[in-house]
Amino acid sequence: MTDTPELLLRRVLRLVHRHEGGVLWIEGPADSGKSHLLALAAQQAAPAGATVLTAPLLGALAQQQPEAGAGESGSPYQVLRQVEDGLRELSRQRPVLVVHDDVHQCDDLTLLALRTLTARLAGLPVLWVLAARSHLDVPAVTALRRDLPAEQTDGFELTALAPDAVRRLVTDLMGPRAAEAEPYLPLLGGLPGTIRHACALLTSSPGRDEVASAVVTRRLDQLTPPARELVLTASVLGDSIGVRHLSRMLELREPALLSPLREVLAAGLMRTEQDHLVFVHPALRAAVVATLPLPVRVSLRRRSVDLRLADGTPATALAAEIGALADPGDERAIRVLEAAAREAAPLAPAAGAAYVRRAMELALPATPRRSRLAARLVPLLWEAGEPDQARALAREVLQAPPDPVTHAHVCLELARMGGPFPVPQADAHLRRALQHTDVPLPVKDQLRSTTLLNRLLSGAAEEAGGTVAGALTHARGTHPLNDLTQRTLRSISACHRQRWSDALRHSEPVPAQAAELDPAYGPMLPEVVLSLIWRAELLGLAGDHQGAADLIDSGLAEAEQRGRAAYAALWRPARARMLLGGGRLREAVRELAVIHEPTGQQQPATAGTSDAAAEAAVLCARARTAFHTGDDRELEACAERAEVCLADGDRQLRRAGAWVSVLVALYRDEPLSGERLKGAAAHLRRGFLHVACVDAGDVVLLVAAALASGQREVAAAAVEFAEERARLNPGLPLFTAAATHARGLYAGDAELLVAAAEGYGDVRPLLRARAREDAGACLAAADARGALSRLEEALNGYAACGAERDAQRVRGRLRALGARPLATASAAPAAPAAEWRGLTRSELGVVRLIAQGATNREAAERLFVSPHTVNTHLRHAFEKLGVRSRVQLARLYAREVESIGVSV
């Protein structure tokens, strides 16, 4: 458009100076500047001596319509001849410029006159400057444009200004206030007329809220009624509009859309994008929608929804829109939302919960319909990580259940969540659900099995063998899910009785049975998740780390991809335990760091049992990783939590607290009371905590702690337990190696300890390194060379696992034997001796790395701790050392530690 004024000026000058006539045809959308150009042409021609004639000259043709019975002398054709003669006479005197705007609005007679006169007066010094709206489907205008004398006609189309040109024009119009127009630029379409109108509003109007509405209304008013209706309707339909759907909304056949659609596209309001229409800017669509009254918007959206439902659009694609449009009591909307929830729940339980929530809002209060929807919402809330809301809603339904089947299903969901029922007389609710004749038999069987599974995992059924056997006689196994749950129950019961080979055998079909369930809903069931995690734990115990990893990785990926927070909170600790057992401490620490908030608080709600039992299982894994990596602060936090568990009334928690006390005592090199040692022994004998198997090598640490505390009778009992467990499970070499290790440690027999190390093999590198360390300690007095060899092997093993605290202990043993151990490539940097300015060993380790230029993340990776732990250690070190920056810290460390050669 930049060259348009120059072209116009050249044609006017040729008319004035060379007496060259012709036609200049200008097209463009409304407000594109056509009228401005015509005025500019008249301004240039008149002072130069040309006669300028405007539209009223030809408009006289329309005023000369013959009356009924009028004679030929008053006919339009006679007037047309008179106009032609007048133009010929004027052109003899001086050049003539005829300017006619908005040709598209002319009647047929005027268009005929223009077509006739431009042809008849060709060759005379008459320049016709005609302007019309582009892409309007007006046949007479199209005919006029086609019939203009081609050799004497120039034509061009005005287009929208480029963004830079728009801003220059705004600056010219508004000066220093040009920035005020910035929010409105997307609404202007780059059209000069619209830009001038908006700038005038902004500079003259004290209130700015109406500017957008005024600008958009102006643009809409310039459209033909069919085009305006198209834009308004499309604005309600969303960001991307299909042509077929739009034609159905307008009740037009698709070919009938072509004319108004071309007009809308030419006006710069919409554009095509692949096979859809879109508005040129979201703000423009929003402004167009705002011009419609709310009832009209709602009516159009409802019609759109009805049409899409009739076309078979999935409920999930329409549920949110239907829910927003529906009024209370709208049963059709409730049904669509329910269908959408069924479709969404397998892939996104949070989305399914949102749909059911909205359906509940639409359902009339205090009705069976609402209660049934609430029952449907309970498991979705729990899966999505909202257990408190799920239990509160279940309590509401159980207080006044709409029917026996809904009551039984809510009881089943509560059993699946674990923990006590959030209603009084929970056993009475269970009996009622199991006894009612209307409740389907598979639901009753699964309720029995799941309730028992929950009680086993929460520690409420200590006599597991008899309880399971008695309860399962009532379960018919009428559904694959029942059979899967019963196998898991038998497997856990066998574990409690130390029949680990039987536990493995019972769990073997579980993955296949899980795969046979409904692929959409099977992975959503807690019984399936718990059974698969239990199977993975057993595989890890049997040395099949790959099989365990496959189950855990696929389960965790499924839970995270589908937003099942309750299940991710189960799979992550399982993965951390698997990594810990395999000696991959760095990865285990990272996995545990994800489970907890930055403050170290337990994230809410794990599945399938009481929160306390699940927390205790994670606590044991946290304490074990801190024990090996040397994370003082993490172990202290675990010790504090263990004291809370020891004071709890739950036996399972007390035993878990006692076990963590063993790790803390060994870490601090402190004695432990017989009572706590016996509590830890009871923890090992039970065999599992929540859905986690007790590690086979834990018995070795119990023996070590008992011996260090002078409790040889407790150590002897632990050795006997380990040997009996190995005897009952000859097919599990890990139990045999652990029993040999425990006996060798108790007897101080280096040969047994070496044999234990060989028995562990590559499956349990931490236990193998521990056995070699114990063997080296036994040999230290009698065979220094043999002791050095075993200790160096242990050091390499610990270092490969990232067990820095264990590695430091072995380095001390080596130095005591006169050796100078070399730092291993895979070991984390050692910290200075814990004697500088009161810093702990962990704080010193962090300070050393930071002083050498490491970032918090780099230090975390090298020390096998989380970045949050590094940040905490560093903050405490700053406080103790009285420094405020890393630079001050580095200078102080270099002056007081490195310069005087403090041992590292």
Side-chain angles (χ1 to χ4, degrees):
M1 183 175 167
T2 305
D3 298 332
T4 301
E6 297 179 5
L7 173 62
L8 184 64
L9 176 60
R10 286 199 300 269
R11 289 303 303 264
V12 171
L13 292 176
R14 284 163 56 186
L15 169 69
V16 173
H17 298 296
R18 300 182 186 178
H19 289 202
E20 292 183 8
V23 181
L24 194 59
W25 180 268
I26 304 173
E27 283 189 3
D31 271 347
S32 58
K34 301 185 298 296
S35 300
H36 178 72
L37 285 178
L38 266 61
L40 179 63
Q43 292 171 6
Q44 292 173 339
T51 299
V52 178
L53 303 177
T54 56
L57 171 69
L58 300 178
L61 294 172
Q63 299 174 6
Q64 298 296 325
Q65 296 292 336
E67 305 239 348
E72 179 65 24
S73 61
S75 69
Y77 299 102
Q78 184 176 0
V79 174
L80 178 59
R81 285 195 297 272
Q82 293 173 356
V83 172
E84 180 182 350
D85 292 342
L87 286 174
R88 288 181 183 275
E89 181 62 27
L90 285 174
S91 67
R92 293 190 188 98
Q93 302 171 11
R94 61 177 65 184
V96 178
L97 176 68
V98 182
V99 176
H100 201 304
D101 200 359
D102 293 331
V103 174
H104 54 277
Q105 295 181 354
C106 294
D107 55 50
D108 291 343
L109 188 57
T110 303
L111 292 172
L112 174 63
L114 289 173
R115 185 165 61 251
T116 301
L117 293 174
T118 52
R120 288 182 181 178
L121 301 178
L124 297 179
V126 179
L127 177 63
W128 302 80
V129 182
L130 310 177
R133 191 82 58 82
S134 55
H135 299 288
L136 282 180
D137 192 11
V138 181
V141 175
T142 304
L144 169 62
R145 178 70 180 87
R146 184 186 63 240
D147 294 341
L148 292 173
E151 66 279 2
Q152 291 186 323
T153 300
D154 289 323
F156 54 84
E157 182 175 0
L158 300 180
T159 57
L161 297 177
D164 290 344
V166 170
R167 288 181 170 83
R168 286 196 298 271
L169 179 56
V170 170
T171 302
D172 291 342
L173 295 171
M174 297 187 67
R177 297 178 59 187
E180 298 177 21
E182 192 69 26
Y184 303 98
L185 296 186
L187 309 179
L188 308 181
L191 302 172
T194 308
I195 295 169
R196 292 187 179 91
H197 178 64
C199 290
L201 290 172
L202 288 169
T203 53
S204 63
S205 175
R208 308 297 171 82
D209 294 340
E210 295 81 15
V211 172
S213 176
V215 168
V216 170
T217 300
R218 174 187 173 94
R219 296 189 69 182
L220 292 176
D221 288 344
Q222 291 166 339
L223 300 174
T224 61
R228 184 163 55 250
E229 184 181 4
L230 185 151
V231 173
L232 291 170
T233 303
S235 69
V236 179
L237 301 182
D239 297 322
S240 182
I241 305 104
V243 174
R244 180 175 179 273
H245 184 59
L246 183 59
S247 69
R248 296 181 68 193
M249 287 290 297
L250 296 170
E251 297 182 346
L252 294 172
R253 297 180 61 189
E254 291 180 36
L257 284 182
L258 294 179
S259 177
L261 184 56
R262 281 198 296 267
E263 183 182 352
V264 170
L265 296 176
L269 292 166
M270 302 182 73
R271 68 173 186 272
T272 59
E273 192 172 276
Q274 296 180 348
D275 58 345
H276 285 72
L277 300 171
V278 297
F279 280 82
V280 295
H281 196 279
L284 178 60
R285 173 180 169 257
V288 173
V289 169
T291 64
L292 288 170
L294 179 60
V296 175
R297 279 182 258 166
V298 172
S299 178
L300 287 172
R301 290 179 65 190
R302 284 177 174 168
R303 173 169 168 73
S304 173
V305 167
D306 290 340
L307 290 173
R308 283 179 284 167
L309 279 175
D311 287 341
T313 303
T316 49
L318 298 174
E321 191 171 0
I322 290 175
L325 295 171
D327 295 323
D330 188 336
E331 185 59 31
R332 188 199 67 162
I334 293 174
R335 288 196 300 271
V336 171
L337 288 165
E338 282 188 292
R342 285 192 295 272
E343 292 179 23
L347 300 175
Y355 294 142
V356 180
R357 269 197 180 109
R358 179 55 181 154
M360 285 182 62
E361 293 172 356
L362 296 176
L364 297 177
T367 59
R369 184 76 162 114
R370 187 186 183 283
S371 294
R372 294 187 183 100
L373 288 168
R376 178 72 185 88
L377 181 56
V378 167
L380 295 175
L381 289 174
W382 177 74
E383 279 186 59
E386 301 181 50
D388 293 339
Q389 293 187 34
R391 290 190 173 100
L393 196 59
R395 180 170 58 250
E396 177 186 325
V397 177
L398 290 182
Q399 286 173 350
D403 55 74
V405 175
T406 301
H407 175 266
H409 275 291
V410 173
C411 289
L412 177 57
E413 296 303 338
L414 283 172
R416 285 168 167 165
M417 287 185 225
F421 275 28
V423 290
Q425 299 179 334
D427 290 340
H429 278 282
L430 288 173
R431 287 195 301 270
R432 176 181 169 188
L434 293 172
Q435 293 171 4
H436 205 288
T437 56
D438 289 345
V439 178
L441 185 60
V443 176
K444 292 181 180 180
D445 289 344
Q446 194 57 26
L447 180 56
R448 289 189 184 95
S449 300
T450 306
T451 301
L452 182 55
L453 178 61
N454 173 46
R455 288 176 176 173
L456 275 176
L457 295 179
S458 64
E462 288 301 319
E463 298 299 328
T467 304
V468 171
L472 292 185
T473 58
H474 299 287
R476 286 87 171 169
T478 54
H479 189 279
L481 181 59
N482 291 334
D483 189 33
L484 180 148
T485 308
Q486 292 164 31
R487 287 184 178 278
T488 302
L489 284 166
R490 292 189 177 95
S491 179
I492 294 175
S493 175
C495 158
H496 184 66
R497 293 177 282 110
Q498 301 305 317
R499 287 347 191 238
W500 293 88
S501 297
D502 291 344
L504 271 164
R505 177 173 53 80
H506 286 309
S507 71
E508 186 174 355
V510 163
Q513 288 182 316
E516 291 174 1
L517 297 173
D518 183 343
Y521 289 93
M524 295 172 58
L525 299 173
E527 303 93 315
V528 176
V529 175
L530 291 169
S531 297
L532 289 173
I533 291 177
W534 179 254
R535 173 64 181 172
E537 292 272 342
L538 292 174
L539 288 175
L541 197 70
D544 185 0
H545 279 218
Q546 187 58 53
D550 290 343
L551 284 177
I552 292 173
D553 290 346
S554 62
L556 180 57
E558 193 275 341
E560 291 184 330
Q561 290 169 2
R562 303 193 179 189
R564 291 173 176 158
Y567 300 151
L570 279 170
W571 284 112
R572 283 201 175 279
R575 190 169 193 274
R577 290 189 295 269
M578 177 194 70
L579 295 169
L580 176 59
R584 297 158 64 182
L585 287 173
R586 178 183 297 181
E587 296 172 72
V589 167
R590 290 176 179 171
E591 204 68 43
L592 289 169
V594 174
I595 299 170
H596 294 81
E597 297 291 345
T599 58
Q601 297 297 319
Q602 178 81 16
Q603 287 182 342
T606 49
T609 184
S610 67
D611 296 344
E615 180 191 359
V618 175
L619 175 66
C620 291
R622 289 172 54 202
R624 185 67 176 273
T625 54
F627 174 82
H628 289 298
T629 60
D631 189 337
D632 294 346
R633 186 161 296 277
E634 175 72 352
L635 195 66
E636 288 301 320
C638 292
E640 292 178 7
R641 185 59 190 163
E643 293 300 319
V644 175
C645 292
L646 284 164
D648 197 278
D650 184 273
R651 284 181 293 177
Q652 190 166 223
L653 293 185
R654 291 201 304 272
R655 291 191 295 250
W659 171 247
V660 174
S661 296
V662 168
L663 298 176
V664 172
L666 287 171
Y667 191 89
R668 296 172 177 171
D669 197 18
E670 297 175 350
L672 204 60
S673 69
E675 180 182 358
R676 293 213 175 175
L677 288 168
K678 290 175 182 178
H683 168 74
L684 300 187
R685 285 195 300 271
R686 187 167 193 267
F688 65 94
L689 175 61
H690 186 214
V691 75
C693 298
V694 171
D695 190 271
D698 285 351
V699 68
V700 175
L701 296 178
L702 177 61
V703 171
L707 292 175
S709 302
Q711 301 283 338
R712 288 191 64 83
E713 65 281 3
V714 177
V719 172
E720 291 176 3
F721 162 76
E723 291 175 340
E724 176 64 11
R725 185 177 62 179
R727 186 188 66 79
L728 293 173
N729 301 279
L732 295 175
L734 181 59
F735 287 128
T736 301
T740 304
H741 191 168
R743 173 60 68 180
L745 189 61
Y746 180 78
D749 189 328
E751 291 185 5
L752 287 177
L753 294 169
V754 171
E758 295 301 319
Y760 290 131
D762 295 331
V763 176
R764 291 299 179 93
L766 279 172
L767 289 173
R768 180 177 58 188
R770 179 79 191 207
R772 287 170 172 168
E773 179 189 357
D774 292 336
C778 286
L779 292 171
D783 183 3
R785 179 174 295 180
L788 287 173
S789 175
R790 298 305 178 194
L791 291 174
E792 287 174 351
E793 291 174 346
L795 177 59
N796 290 332
Y798 285 139
C801 295
E804 177 56 26
R805 196 265 181 185
D806 297 317
Q808 288 179 353
R809 185 179 61 247
V810 174
R811 290 191 191 98
R813 293 182 185 273
L814 287 168
R815 281 194 291 267
L817 292 173
R820 298 188 63 183
L822 298 175
T824 54
S826 58
E835 56 192 21
W836 183 51
R837 294 202 175 210
L839 267 62
T840 66
R841 182 183 291 107
S842 296
E843 289 166 350
L844 284 166
V846 169
V847 165
R848 177 177 185 270
L849 292 173
I850 297 300
Q852 293 174 350
T855 65
N856 284 20
R857 184 169 295 280
E858 290 169 346
E861 291 179 353
R862 296 176 69 182
L863 294 173
F864 310 106
V865 297
S866 69
H868 169 70
T869 299
V870 169
N871 185 60
T872 301
H873 288 333
L874 192 58
R875 186 174 66 252
H876 291 160
F878 273 31
E879 293 172 355
K880 292 179 180 180
L881 299 175
V883 297
R884 296 184 178 181
S885 70
R886 292 169 180 258
V887 173
Q888 291 178 333
L889 175 68
R891 289 172 179 170
L892 183 64
Y893 184 89
R895 183 174 65 251
E896 295 189 10
V897 178
E898 294 180 338
S899 63
I900 61 176
V902 174
S903 61
V904 297

